[in-house]
């Protein structure tokens, strides 16, 4: 079963934001080292265009810095890549 709920709010602007980071010092509750700063902003606006019509516009911008977790051997190093992007839909 798949339920799809379409937005139908008219003349309203929804704003969503996210901010965060990773603790790069796992032995401390309040880290001295952090990485992977993340910021995200999303906007959504809907409006009626006729008696039965509706237009919905959304935009999202994201900035995600890289993380690095070095291990003992080069092939074991892992982390997260840096991402910067903007989407319109």
């Amino acid at each position: 079963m798949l339920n799809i709920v379409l937005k139908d709010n008219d003349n309203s602007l929804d704003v969503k934001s996210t901010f965060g980071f990773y603790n790069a010092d796992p032995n401390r509750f309040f880290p001295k080292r952090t990485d992977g700063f993340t910021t995200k902003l999303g906007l959504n606006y809907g409006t009626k265009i006729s008696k039965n019509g509706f237009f919905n516009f959304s935009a999202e911008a994201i900035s995600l810095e890289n993380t690095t977790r070095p291990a003992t051997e080069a092939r074991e190093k892992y982390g997260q890549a840096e991402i910067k992007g903007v989407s319109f839909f």
Side-chain angles (χ1 to χ4, degrees):
M1 173 185 241
L2 177 66
N3 290 329
I4 297 175
V5 178
L6 302 176
K7 294 186 177 200
D8 61 357
N9 294 340
D10 63 337
N11 295 323
S12 69
L13 177 67
D14 271 345
V15 179
K16 295 182 180 179
S17 64
T18 302
F19 175 78
F21 58 87
Y22 291 99
N23 178 355
D25 190 0
N27 297 323
R28 298 176 53 93
F29 182 74
F30 294 105
K32 290 185 177 181
R33 295 179 300 139
T34 58
D35 62 7
F37 282 93
T38 302
T39 54
K40 184 165 123 176
L41 176 65
L43 303 172
N44 177 269
Y45 181 76
T47 186
K48 290 187 181 222
I49 56 175
S50 67
K51 183 178 178 183
N52 295 321
F54 186 78
F55 178 76
N56 188 319
F57 176 78
S58 295
E60 182 177 85
I62 186 168
S63 174
L64 178 63
E65 293 181 358
N66 66 326
T67 61
T68 303
R69 299 293 182 268
T72 56
E73 295 184 30
R75 70 177 189 276
E76 293 178 349
K77 293 182 180 180
Y78 64 95
Q80 179 172 294
E82 184 172 328
I83 299 171
K84 302 229 186 276
V86 176
S87 300
F88 298 98
F89 39 97

